[in-house]
Amino acid sequence: MKKYFASSELIINDDGSVFHLHVKPEWLADKVILVGDPGRVALVGSHLENKECEVESREFKTITGTYKGKRITVVSTGIGCDNIDIVMNELDALANIDFNTREEKPQLRQLELVRIGTCGGLQPNTPVGTFICSQKSIGFDGLLNFYSGRNEVCDLPFERAFLNHMGWSGNMCAPAPYVIDANAELIERIAGDNMVRGVTIAASGFFGPQGRELRIPLADPKQNEKIENFEYNGYRITNFEMESSALAGLSRLMGHKATTVCMVIANRLIKEANTGYKNTIDTLIKTVLDRI
């Protein structure tokens, strides 16, 4: 018996578009680029040869068009793993649920998703301007813990080693991080031979969760020092951002292929930052467009 999705679970707008994104099923390409900033959708879209659709709702802006003969959808997610939960579930619904019958389609349609973003570097080999492809992500957000199958897709020994290193085991006030691998084939294709392949922490906030202290003291003042020193089976944590874990984790559970690539705009180790990164991010965008 086919699975049926009630209107309270899958909300479809009167025009046939999915609730938050306002995208219709026929507008979705198999290749998807995700960006955080809605303004960056236009930057990616400027490289497309034609545009089939352009729609905007809240922080979610979508363009579908072609680049060198490849049909590509570009979507802005806003900031944070909670927004990735919305975007991934609605993109998967557009691909794999019949909006007329509200039933799951018999054949899985697999999407390829690459998030392009900015991040903070945590190692000497990740100075400002470095491109990092997230080979593994450590989710501080807790999102995947709400989904069945979480343990089957996560790297549980890595999780335990990280928890023990941070001293968070058994501490109810600490996050319950999960460790997830991005899609290996997509990493090979997107990272090529000129990106650092890293372990990325997807933080649940920009300030405290990433070890930034303004007026509120941190619960663990040595958090970032411990993160920078962590090593497991040759892996070291390379960068902070805020979405990669949810993207990789939900994609694994749904049967899609995903990874995240970020440009370092601040190095937390040597305390340098660059806010004038617009031209360099365009180089990263063109690289991903060529390789996706």
Side-chain angles (χ1 to χ4, degrees), residues 144-159:
L144 220 63
N145 300 330
F146 289 88
Y147 288 93
S148 175
R150 168 250 197 259
N151 283 357
E152 285 70 36
V153 299
C154 287
D155 188 335
L156 301 182
F158 195 119
E159 282 179 20

Side-chain angles (χ1 to χ4, degrees), residues 40-276:
R40 202 170 288 153
V41 174
L43 185 57
V44 181
S46 68
H47 298 287
L48 301 180
E49 292 137 15
N50 72 299
K51 294 173 188 172
E52 297 173 31
C53 75
E54 192 164 352
V55 62
E56 191 168 359
S57 172
R58 307 187 198 191
E59 59 265 62
F60 310 114
K61 182 171 182 177
T62 304
I63 294 174
T64 294
T66 55
Y67 176 82
K68 296 183 178 178
K70 296 181 286 193
R71 189 169 182 249
I72 294 173
T73 294
V74 188
V75 183
S76 63
T77 66
I79 296 174
C81 285
D82 49 349
N83 278 10
I84 295 293
D85 185 60
I86 291 171
V87 172
M88 279 304 304
N89 274 284
E90 293 199 352
L91 289 177
D92 181 70
L94 290 166
N96 290 303
I97 297 174
D98 187 318
F99 275 31
N100 294 315
T101 65
R102 293 184 163 274
E103 292 178 341
E104 191 171 355
K105 294 178 181 178
Q107 292 293 116
L108 172 74
R109 178 183 172 193
Q110 186 181 64
L111 304 176
E112 291 184 351
L113 305 110
V114 179
R115 175 178 125 66
I116 302 174
T118 56
C119 68
L122 291 169
Q123 298 297 338
N125 70 326
T126 59
V128 167
T130 303
F131 295 162
I132 300 177
C133 185
S134 300
Q135 189 172 7
K136 286 179 177 286
S137 291
I138 304 175
F140 281 11
D141 53 283
L143 178 69
L144 220 63
N145 300 330
F146 289 88
Y147 288 93
S148 175
R150 168 250 197 259
N151 283 357
E152 285 70 36
V153 299
C154 287
D155 188 335
L156 301 182
F158 195 119
E159 282 179 20
R160 285 191 292 272
F162 181 74
L163 274 169
N164 291 335
H165 175 82
M166 297 300 291
W168 288 348
S169 298
N171 183 352
M172 291 297 291
C173 296
Y178 58 93
V179 179
I180 185 80
D181 290 333
N183 180 266
E185 186 278 324
L186 203 53
I187 293 167
E188 284 298 317
R189 196 179 348 139
I190 299 298
D193 57 4
N194 60 350
M195 293 186 192
V196 171
R197 301 180 190 203
V199 178
T200 299
I201 287 179
S204 53
F206 184 77
F207 290 94
Q210 296 187 37
R212 288 185 175 92
E213 184 176 318
L214 296 185
R215 293 186 59 245
I216 307 172
L218 297 174
D220 182 358
K222 295 186 179 297
Q223 173 187 302
N224 279 20
E225 183 183 329
K226 288 189 282 188
I227 287 169
E228 289 156 10
N229 293 333
F230 175 74
E231 186 172 354
Y232 176 76
N233 283 356
Y235 290 106
R236 300 198 70 145
I237 297 168
T238 50
N239 58 319
F240 270 130
E241 52 86 76
M242 295 178 66
E243 292 86 15
S244 63
S245 58
L247 174 60
L250 291 176
S251 295
R252 285 283 297 276
L253 291 173
M254 292 170 175
H256 303 303
K257 299 165 73 169
T259 192
T260 292
V261 292
C262 287
M263 185 181 78
V264 177
I265 62 168
N267 186 288
R268 306 295 300 284
L269 190 67
I270 56 179
K271 302 201 182 318
E272 66 171 358
N274 173 27
T275 55

